[in-house]
Amino acid sequence: MLDEEIIAFQYLLLDWYDKNKRNFPWRYTFEPYRVLVSEMLLQQTNVEKVIQPYLKIIKAYKDINELSDSDIKFLKSIFKDIGLFYRADRLKDIAKEIVKCHKGSIPNQWEDLIKIKGIGYYICSAILCFGFNQPYAVLDTNVIRIFERIFEIKSEKKRPRDDTKLWEFAQMLIPEDRYVDYNYAVLDFGASICTAYNPKCSTCVFKDMCSSK
């Protein structure tokens, strides 16, 4: 891939984001605890459904130490409306491990964070970028779809989000600055424009460079 293509992609995406960014209570907090809670809630869930559950958890448990001692019934009641109950147990287990093994401080290094059971590549990257302002790319189904359509990058893995080649490609596209904006931008673009069904190709800023136009 040419440097010119990367620069063009970054510029068009960030320019679009500056005009169309979405605001959510967990964004730009740069608090890893809040990022962890939000990302656990956002898994396979519509973002609008997550706002109230997120606010309830943050109000009830102000930090990772309080979350580790949380009432699991209360957590499951919060997850009730958004489904996937197992996430309540996973969230509490993650908190307990951080308290036990890291003295209540969420690790700010990849090699430490990824070892925590329940934290995979995506959440690890999200915490490091959105929580600690570090240049790590995020890669989920929406982002993979953008890469497939614009750059014809496809994975042969059954679970593309676990494909190290896709992660390396995503990391290559991260700009030297504004990487937090960039990651939020690519997530928003996949959710708003380059959707799975009926994508808004006529208004897409990448229509002149998209391989599937």
Side-chain angles (χ1 to χ4, degrees), residues 55-69:
L55 293 174
K56 288 179 182 178
I57 293 177
I58 293 300
K59 182 179 180 180
Y61 309 111
K62 296 180 174 57
D63 57 33
I64 202 75
N65 291 282
E66 290 188 9
L67 182 62
S68 70
D69 290 326

Side-chain angles (χ1 to χ4, degrees), residues 18-100:
D18 287 339
K19 301 168 185 172
N20 299 278
K21 68 176 63 176
R22 300 184 297 175
N23 293 313
F24 299 109
W26 52 83
R27 288 193 172 183
Y28 298 102
T29 60
F30 296 104
E31 294 183 31
Y33 169 65
R34 296 194 172 209
V35 175
L36 170 62
V37 171
S38 66
E39 293 298 342
M40 290 299 296
L41 289 166
L42 285 164
Q43 290 180 323
Q44 301 179 49
T45 305
N46 182 286
V47 66
E48 299 295 338
K49 293 182 179 180
V50 168
I51 296 174
Q52 289 307 312
Y54 166 82
L55 293 174
K56 288 179 182 178
I57 293 177
I58 293 300
K59 182 179 180 180
Y61 309 111
K62 296 180 174 57
D63 57 33
I64 202 75
N65 291 282
E66 290 188 9
L67 182 62
S68 70
D69 290 326
S70 59
D71 179 353
I72 192 61
K73 290 183 179 179
F74 175 74
L75 282 182
K76 286 186 175 180
S77 72
I78 291 177
F79 277 88
K80 181 179 179 180
D81 293 334
I82 60 176
L84 300 178
F85 287 112
Y86 70 85
R87 289 181 294 173
D89 292 301
R90 182 174 292 179
L91 179 59
K92 180 169 181 174
D93 287 344
I94 289 172
K96 289 168 66 177
E97 184 171 346
I98 290 172
V99 169
K100 179 181 178 181

Side-chain angles (χ1 to χ4, degrees), residues 6 9-11 13-14 17 28 129-130 136-138 143 146-147 151 169-175 177-189 206:
I6 295 176
F9 179 76
Q10 294 169 345
Y11 173 80
L13 181 65
L14 286 168
Y17 180 69
Y28 298 102
C129 182
F130 304 140
Y136 282 88
V138 295
V143 179
I146 293 172
F147 291 169
F151 302 112
F169 182 79
Q171 195 64 36
M172 181 178 68
L173 295 181
I174 283 281
D177 57 3
R178 294 195 68 185
Y179 28 85
V180 173
D181 287 342
Y182 168 88
N183 277 333
Y184 283 141
V186 75
L187 292 171
D188 283 2
F189 194 81
F206 300 111

